Amino acid sequence: MAPILKGIILGFSIAAPVGPIGVLCIRKTLDQGRIMGFAAGLGAATADAVYGSVAALGLSLVMQFLIKQSIWINVLGAVFLLYLAYKTFRAPIRHDHAPDIARLNYMKTFGTTLLLTLTNPLTIVSFVGIFAGMNIASESDQSLFLVLGVFVGSAIWWLFLISIVGSFRQMMSTRIMKWINSLSAFILLGFGMYSLYKTFM
């Protein structure tokens, strides 16, 4: 199998499990449309590609730093989740008649999910193990195609998820969206508290 196809399968598999990123993407899609939801998904896909690049290119110094500082990076990620839970609970409900406001937030949404995904440095350990199992040399062109495939596979998953969720957007009344915001905030709060517990225990 070609390295890029392996990467696509790997990227899709890594992105598919529902976690805090999935919650954010679903909420953004229902609240502000498919493009905003996909912007969030691309942030996660970019972070996967970054960690995939570090593992595939054998950047051992970067890997060692991330692993040594994993506790503090995880704490940062947990605090960021708690902050997002608060912001989500307080977030106003946007409507179709305010596209200019949403457009200004595309890069902010992208950056939020990029940062949140990067604050899970142990993901790189998984990439190292998987890439080693594929027996692809770090200096070869195959590693670059594999990383590209990871990004594409992750982006495909987010596009698939956003397309399905977006089809329900027109059914969402303001009351339902307020309920979804509260539920999303509670889920993000749970992920943040669990991450802190796991880090210190």
Side-chain angles (χ1 to χ4, degrees), residues 11-12 14-15 21 25 38-53 110 113-114 117-118 127 147-159:
F12 190 93
I14 290 174
I21 302 298
C25 290
F38 189 55
L42 283 180
T46 302
D48 288 338
V50 169
Y51 275 157
S53 299
F110 173 88
T113 52
L114 173 64
T117 309
L118 287 175
F127 275 113
V147 172
L148 176 62
V150 167
F151 175 81
V152 172
S154 182
I156 288 174
W157 162 253
W158 295 118
L159 182 61

Side-chain angles (χ1 to χ4, degrees), residues 23-95:
V23 172
L24 286 173
C25 290
I26 290 172
R27 178 191 163 271
K28 285 290 184 181
T29 303
L30 292 175
D31 192 17
Q32 299 175 37
R34 287 187 176 97
I35 297 179
M36 186 63 79
F38 189 55
L42 283 180
T46 302
D48 288 338
V50 169
Y51 275 157
S53 299
V54 173
L57 299 178
L59 303 179
S60 58
L61 290 179
V62 177
M63 287 188 285
Q64 290 174 15
F65 172 80
L66 291 172
I67 293 172
K68 287 180 180 179
Q69 303 300 322
S70 61
I71 291 179
W72 296 111
I73 297 175
N74 284 335
V75 169
L76 175 63
V79 172
F80 191 38
L81 276 174
L82 298 179
Y83 168 76
L84 289 177
Y86 170 76
K87 293 291 289 185
T88 299
F89 183 76
R90 297 292 302 273
I93 305 300
R94 302 194 187 281
H95 301 283

Side-chain angles (χ1 to χ4, degrees), residues 5-197:
L5 292 179
K6 292 181 180 179
I8 289 174
I9 295 172
L10 176 59
F12 190 93
S13 301
I14 290 174
V18 177
I21 302 298
V23 172
L24 286 173
C25 290
I26 290 172
R27 178 191 163 271
K28 285 290 184 181
T29 303
L30 292 175
D31 192 17
Q32 299 175 37
R34 287 187 176 97
I35 297 179
M36 186 63 79
F38 189 55
L42 283 180
T46 302
D48 288 338
V50 169
Y51 275 157
S53 299
V54 173
L57 299 178
L59 303 179
S60 58
L61 290 179
V62 177
M63 287 188 285
Q64 290 174 15
F65 172 80
L66 291 172
I67 293 172
K68 287 180 180 179
Q69 303 300 322
S70 61
I71 291 179
W72 296 111
I73 297 175
N74 284 335
V75 169
L76 175 63
V79 172
F80 191 38
L81 276 174
L82 298 179
Y83 168 76
L84 289 177
Y86 170 76
K87 293 291 289 185
T88 299
F89 183 76
R90 297 292 302 273
I93 305 300
R94 302 194 187 281
H95 301 283
D96 290 334
H97 61 264
D100 293 336
I101 297 176
R103 189 176 299 115
L104 292 174
N105 290 330
Y106 286 150
M107 291 306 298
K108 180 180 178 181
T109 298
F110 173 88
T112 296
T113 52
L114 173 64
L115 178 60
L116 185 58
T117 309
L118 287 175
T119 53
N120 184 20
L122 293 183
T123 303
I124 197 172
V125 177
S126 301
F127 275 113
V128 171
I130 293 171
F131 284 13
M134 291 180 177
N135 196 29
I136 294 179
S138 61
E139 69 274 7
S140 70
D141 293 338
Q142 290 185 339
S143 62
L144 298 178
F145 282 112
L146 191 63
V147 172
L148 176 62
V150 167
F151 175 81
V152 172
S154 182
I156 288 174
W157 162 253
W158 295 118
L159 182 61
F160 172 73
L161 177 65
I162 296 315
S163 298
I164 293 177
V165 173
S167 63
F168 295 97
R169 189 181 181 221
Q170 298 302 321
M171 306 177 189
M172 300 292 122
S173 64
T174 300
R175 182 177 180 180
I176 293 176
M177 279 307 307
K178 287 182 178 179
W179 183 83
I180 290 175
N181 270 12
S182 298
L183 179 61
S184 299
F186 179 77
I187 293 173
L188 292 173
L189 176 64
F191 276 118
M193 295 298 292
Y194 176 73
S195 181
L196 283 177
Y197 172 80

